[in-house]
Structure formats: structure tokens, C-alpha cells
Amino acid sequence: MTREDIEFQGEGGVTLRGWFYPAQNGDTPAPAVVMTHGMTAVKEMYLDDYAEVFAEAGLNVVVYDHRNYGESDGLPRQETDPILQHRDIRNAITYASTRPEVDPARIGLWGTSFAGGHALLVAAIDKRVKAVVSQVPFISGARSFGAQVRPDFVSHVRDQFNGDRLNRFTGGAPAMLAAITDDPAGQAMMPAPDAYEWFSKGSATRAPNWRNEVTARSLEWASEYEPGSYISRISPTPLLMLVANNDTVAPFQFALDAYEEAREPKQLKILSGGHFDAYGGPEFDECASAARDHFVKYLRA
């Protein structure tokens, strides 16, 4: 399938780079979907597969790397600032709306994992979004931090955050943390065994530019981020949530609790498997077709 390499300006003028997939077999201008990936992931990690499904259904697609990752600009490298990331998504929506192939009145938003949280927040505050899909979403920083960090380690981790903040303030380099680890006792942003397996395989086979590191401040900022608190404000924008019943990275129960707070129109699809089965795994077809049908129903109708 033909795609175009693109770049556009994110928040503060940072250049973001990605791909534009033109809608197939449809009228022009056609609807568009903006897509973004999760924590540390780059677009080559299966977002192209999703984009092709959407484009074949008559949807234009904008896919890009977050600032500080992959082909996008931004410093410090490997840093996830959730506020700037969701502001960049809004710039991506603006970029999509300027394309002659795109009907600016019919733009959807798809986010997965950490960006699944962004999708909830942006759909709540930016009503240019006419349909939203949130896949295995990050819901609550406080709850996730509490689930991942033992209570007796919390003060130590907070001390590390404060030390990094002081070091940066005095001109030092950011402290870095592994994104994944195969050491059960090791410290990482995503310590789950399936995270190690998926990122290791994906970087080896599809995304050699992925790096197994992230700034420590990214973990601090993630622990403060509460995108699920916006979910009741998404309505009347139609919401589809795709959640995995064995998800240990973005816990299943957190997503269910958030979904209860969402207002109609909303739809919940529960998948069998873990967090990463939606990407190139046994649940890919189910996730891709459900998201495609949601966007077709609400953007192409």
C-alpha cells in the first residue's frame, strides 16, 4: 500500500515525523484517523498494520512518532511528557485537517496503551474528534504506580525522582531507566515479562531504531497522569474501548472502572489475552476490525 512520509510541527515547534496513508476506494475528501503509540514504542511496531486496515476501509490515516522518539525531533531523547504528547496529538489533528484529502469535519482518534489514555483525554477536550478508540489504555498514574511499586520502595523511588530533579536543575544529564527488563528483581518502566518479550521481538524484527531506555522523569510524570478522570466528558463523541482480560501492564480492572464512568454512546470490547496480544498477536484481527467498524460507522456514515 502506498504511503507518504510526512512531517509537521508539534507543540513548541518540535518537528514530528510519520506516515500518511490515503483512503482507498472512497470519495475525496474522506475521513481521517490520527494514530499514536504507547510508552517508548515507535510507529514501526505494528501501527502500519492497523493503518492499512483503516485505509482499506476508506479512511485517511496519520501515524507519527512521539516527540523525543523514533524519527521525530525533540530533546531529551527517550523522554515521555504526557502533557506535551497529548498537545502534539491536537496538532496532528490540525495537520490532518489541512490535507486536501481529508474532510476536517470527520476526524477520529486512535490511541493504544499510554496513548490510549491520551485518546480519552483529547477526545474529552477537543470536539474536533468525532469518534475515538482507546485500546488497552493507561487509565491512572497513581493506581498504576501503586500496583507496580512495592509500598516499602515508594519513598526510595521518590528520593530518586528528587535527586534527578536536583541534578537536572544544576545542569546534569537526565537519569535513565530501562524500558523493559528480563530480571524479575530489576527496575524498569515496564517490568512485566510480556513487555520484555514483545519489545525485544518487535525491535529485532520491525523497529531497530527502538531503544531500551527512558528518562526517570518519564516514570515520575506518568505516576502523576490521570487521563481516565476525563472519560465522562467524552460524550457525545462515540467511544470504543478495547481491553484485555489478562492485561498486567494497563490493568484490566482500571479500564473497567473508567468505562463505568463514561457516558453514551460507548462500547466495550473485552479481549482474551494480555496487553501486547493486540499487536501482531492473536487478537490483532479482532482489535483492528472492531476499530475499523467503529470509525466507519461514525465517520463515514
Side-chain angles (χ1 to χ4, degrees), residues 14-171:
V14 170
T15 299
L16 306 176
R17 297 185 178 88
W19 302 315
F20 179 80
Y21 287 79
Q24 306 294 303
N25 306 316
D27 297 330
T28 298
V33 175
V34 172
M35 300 182 64
T36 53
H37 221 319
M39 179 69 71
T40 80
V42 293
K43 63 187 181 301
E44 290 82 2
M45 289 173 157
Y46 301 96
L47 292 198
D48 47 347
D49 292 347
Y50 276 96
E52 290 182 2
V53 171
F54 298 159
E56 288 171 357
L59 304 163
N60 296 299
V61 186
V62 172
V63 185
Y64 68 95
D65 285 325
H66 290 296
R67 65 173 58 223
N68 310 333
Y69 291 96
E71 295 182 334
S72 290
D73 289 349
L75 295 171
R77 301 304 291 174
Q78 302 300 118
E79 179 154 280
T80 296
D81 182 332
I83 304 303
L84 292 179
Q85 284 191 352
H86 77 65
R87 288 177 178 171
D88 286 340
I89 290 172
R90 301 183 75 181
N91 280 33
I93 293 168
T94 300
Y95 167 75
S97 72
T98 67
R99 301 266 322 193
E101 306 93 334
V102 173
D103 180 350
R106 296 185 292 164
I107 293 179
L109 180 58
W110 182 99
T112 189
S113 194
F114 199 64
H118 298 339
L120 298 175
L121 190 156
V122 173
I125 63 178
D126 193 327
K127 293 307 177 182
R128 293 177 298 174
V129 176
K130 301 306 181 186
V132 59
V133 175
S134 179
Q135 179 174 284
V136 291
F138 178 90
I139 296 296
S140 167
R143 293 182 72 183
S144 295
F145 186 77
Q148 290 187 4
V149 181
R150 282 174 34 181
D152 54 326
F153 283 7
V154 169
S155 62
H156 174 66
V157 173
R158 295 294 183 194
D159 286 343
Q160 289 181 314
F161 290 159
N162 293 335
D164 178 53
R165 187 179 298 279
L166 177 60
N167 182 59
R168 283 187 172 209
F169 184 79
T170 56

Side-chain angles (χ1 to χ4, degrees), residues 7 53 91 98 136 146 175 178 189 195-196 213 233 253 264:
E7 61 179 48
V53 171
N91 280 33
T98 67
V136 291
M189 173 68 79
Y196 180 82
E213 60 179 359
R233 295 165 53 185
Q253 189 60 51
E264 298 289 349

